[in-house]
Amino acid sequence: KGREHALDAVGVALIILAIAVAAAEWFKIETPIATFMHAVASAMVGKLAFLVPVALIIWAVRLFQRSKREDRTQRVTIGVVLLTLAVTGITHAVTGAPGFADGFAAISESGGLLGVVLGWPLAVGLAPVAAVLILIVLGLFAVLIITKTPVNKVPERMRSLKVRIFGEGPDADLEAGADADGLGSARGLTDERGEAAETQARAPRPK
């Protein structure tokens, strides 16, 4: 029970922290605490600091849900870290990819310290466009890790998503095929009857 209460306390603390960061990032409150929260958030993720409250709330909810599967927790953690590095790296690459020589303020206005980890070396070592493409691939791979989706199962998951969104599935396809077959049969029968009637009309009548 002590561990349960400790996790609850951490979850509540994360929600409080999310409110404090939201006050600085969303409502632009300029008080000492709000200014400090903005400085810390922008130092870590730069221009993406406005997403920090959402991330903190999601983290708190996961703590409240008590995910006891260690393998799932490790998988989701790895995926979230990779996705965070990818997104902040992309932000860093498209905003000039400043380095430490450019000053800490420039980094805070870009992708933050997390963005520097991958965004700066890729943008400087290759090119910003190449860095963005590589980080997009990394971000998509991170999503596959979070959702526990192997690459070869992506088409199947996309079809399932289509069914959920549009309500179309294999049964609908079968029904559509059956309707098409039925319509084709009806047309064929009509054509046969028309040909028979035409043949009968052309036949010579007995005198």
Side-chain angles (χ1 to χ4, degrees):
K1 290 184 178 180
R3 184 175 181 273
E4 296 289 321
H5 289 309
L7 291 176
D8 287 337
V10 173
V12 172
L14 289 174
I15 292 178
I16 294 173
L17 186 60
I19 295 173
V21 177
E25 301 299 332
W26 297 353
F27 303 103
K28 306 300 180 182
I29 296 177
E30 297 181 357
T31 60
I33 294 179
T35 302
F36 174 76
M37 291 296 176
H38 170 70
V40 174
S42 60
M44 295 303 298
V45 295
K47 289 183 176 295
L48 300 179
F50 69 95
L51 294 176
V52 171
V54 178
L56 292 174
I57 290 175
I58 294 175
W59 188 3
V61 170
R62 283 189 57 81
L63 287 178
F64 292 143
Q65 289 178 342
R66 302 287 195 276
S67 179
K68 295 182 179 179
R69 291 183 55 184
E70 185 177 353
D71 59 337
R72 178 182 178 183
T73 301
Q74 293 177 351
R75 171 175 54 80
V76 172
T77 300
I78 294 173
V80 169
V81 170
L82 290 178
L83 183 61
T84 302
L85 292 175
V87 175
T88 54
I90 291 172
T91 303
H92 199 79
V94 300
T95 53
F100 290 103
D102 299 309
F104 193 74
I107 293 176
S108 298
E109 290 296 324
S110 185
L113 293 174
L114 293 180
V116 173
V117 174
L118 293 179
W120 183 79
L122 289 175
V124 174
L126 294 173
V129 175
V132 170
L133 293 177
I134 292 173
L135 292 172
I136 287 176
V137 173
L138 179 62
L140 293 176
F141 181 64
V143 172
L144 295 182
I145 293 176
I146 295 172
T147 58
K148 199 178 181 180
T149 304
V151 176
N152 61 345
K153 295 293 184 181
V154 171
E156 180 180 344
R157 292 291 177 90
M158 295 299 293
R159 287 194 295 268
S160 300
L161 182 62
K162 179 183 177 182
V163 171
R164 291 181 181 180
I165 296 176
F166 300 105
E168 299 178 359
D171 294 339
D173 295 338
L174 291 176
E175 291 178 2
D179 293 341
D181 293 340
L183 182 59
S185 299
R187 288 178 177 176
L189 182 60
T190 302
D191 294 340
E192 290 177 359
R193 289 178 178 177
E195 292 176 359
E198 184 177 355
T199 302
Q200 185 176 2
R202 293 179 178 178
R205 297 181 180 180
K207 296 182 179 180

